[in-house]
Every structure is written in C-alpha cells, then in structure tokens.
Amino acid sequence: MEKFLIEGGARLTGEISTSGSKNSALPALAACLLTEDPVILHRIPRVRDIRTMEKLMGYIGAAITETPGGPHTIHAAQIVDPSAPYDLVKTMRASVLVLGPLVARYQRARVSMPGGCAIGARPIDQHLKGLEALGAEIELSEGYVEARAKRLVGGTVTFDLITVTGTENILMAAVLAKGRTLIENAAREPEVEELAR
C-alpha cells in the first residue's frame, strides 16, 4: 500500500491556492449543456475525470476555453451529438450526468452505461426512474441508455435510496422541465447544494 511519510520538526508556514472539488466540478460542467449561452466556471481541478468530462463535452458539441490558471468558459451553443459513447465514458461513472441535461434540452440522449453492458454494483436505476417520472421514455439497448421526451414535465421524483449523481441528474433535467419538480429522499451532500446554487 502506498503511503505518505511526513517527518516533522520544522514549523510550516506559507500560503497555497486550492482547486475546487472534482465532485462539484463534474456536475457543473454537465449543467453547462442546459443553455446555449457561455458559462464561466472557476477553480476547476486538473484531474483525469475532469479531462474525460471535457472530452465528452467536446464530443457532444460544447466548446471549452481554458485560461491557464484561470477560469473555464463552456459554450454549448449547439448540440452536435447527444450521446456519450462507451470509449469516452468507460473509466468515469460521472459521465452519466449528461443524461438529464441532454434529454431536457435536446429531447433525446444515448449514454453508455457506466462500465458498458454490466450495470455493476453502482446502478443508475434511480436516475432512470426519476427521468421516467418527468415523462422520459427509457430504453436499454446493447449497453446504452436511450432516453426520449418531447418535453419533460415537472413532477414528484421519489428515490428508493439516496443517490448523489441521481439527485444531480434529476435536478438538472428539472431545470428545463415544464412546471415544478419535487425530489423526495434527495441527496444533500455539499456538491449537490453547490449544483443547486
């Protein structure tokens, strides 16, 4: 097992700048798909999952401009392809976060199941149940989730169990749904609150 071995004896002083949270940044990036206007995000951490999400956003049609050491500008003026193929998402479960925004804005989405055909130990059934409650038609085919809705309609989504990414997905989908949406048994982690803000 790898470990850090820190030997003391000298007082630590100074200042460092910290990056933002990866778990907050990933849904914030996905939320940029909800609008055709440019969105500016600050303190995006430079980690592999963020790079993967940026590639996925580019595949979908978003232009991302990064200022070295500064903010990211994400502009999803047009959705080129409302899908998330397996080769882009196989290593990152959070890629399922584009499902809600794409169905809400583009009326359809085709997103690879995390890990391909195998649903695995962390299923997305609560995401799908929530989208169906808002009026989406869901089909599972060859390791992909295909969702369609002419227009999502607000409603009550009751999760059987608390799910952070499920709450985030439904929260984003509800933004463009017609009417009010109530999410019961929602996750309340800091990254969910940050996305809501």
Side-chain angles (χ1 to χ4, degrees), residues 43-121:
R43 297 182 58 228
I44 301 294
R46 306 315 309 146
V47 296
R48 185 183 332 182
D49 281 358
I50 295 295
R51 292 286 188 216
T52 301
M53 182 63 92
E54 289 171 343
K55 287 179 188 173
L56 176 56
M57 298 281 289
Y59 180 88
I60 291 169
I64 300 176
T65 305
E66 178 185 353
T67 305
H72 282 58
T73 301
I74 299 90
H75 194 191
Q78 291 187 327
I79 303 298
V80 175
D81 187 345
S83 65
Y86 176 71
D87 62 328
L88 278 176
V89 305
K90 63 185 174 186
T91 62
M92 186 184 67
R93 186 176 186 279
S95 57
V96 75
L97 288 169
V98 301
L99 184 61
L102 287 174
V103 175
R105 180 171 167 205
Y106 198 74
Q107 292 82 50
R108 64 187 177 93
R110 185 172 190 266
V111 177
S112 174
M113 296 282 277
C117 295
I119 293 176

Side-chain angles (χ1 to χ4, degrees), residues 117-171:
C117 295
I119 293 176
R122 298 175 69 185
I124 61 168
D125 60 320
Q126 298 301 300
H127 302 236
L128 306 183
K129 176 184 174 185
L131 288 171
E132 286 178 324
L134 300 182
E137 295 178 5
I138 306 291
E139 182 180 329
L140 301 178
S141 176
E142 299 178 355
Y144 280 83
V145 174
E146 297 192 26
R148 294 182 181 277
K150 287 185 179 178
R151 174 86 190 263
L152 294 178
V153 178
T156 299
V157 174
T158 304
F159 290 124
D160 299 324
L161 50 93
I162 295 173
T163 163
V164 171
T165 54
T167 300
E168 292 167 338
N169 230 335
I170 300 310
L171 181 64

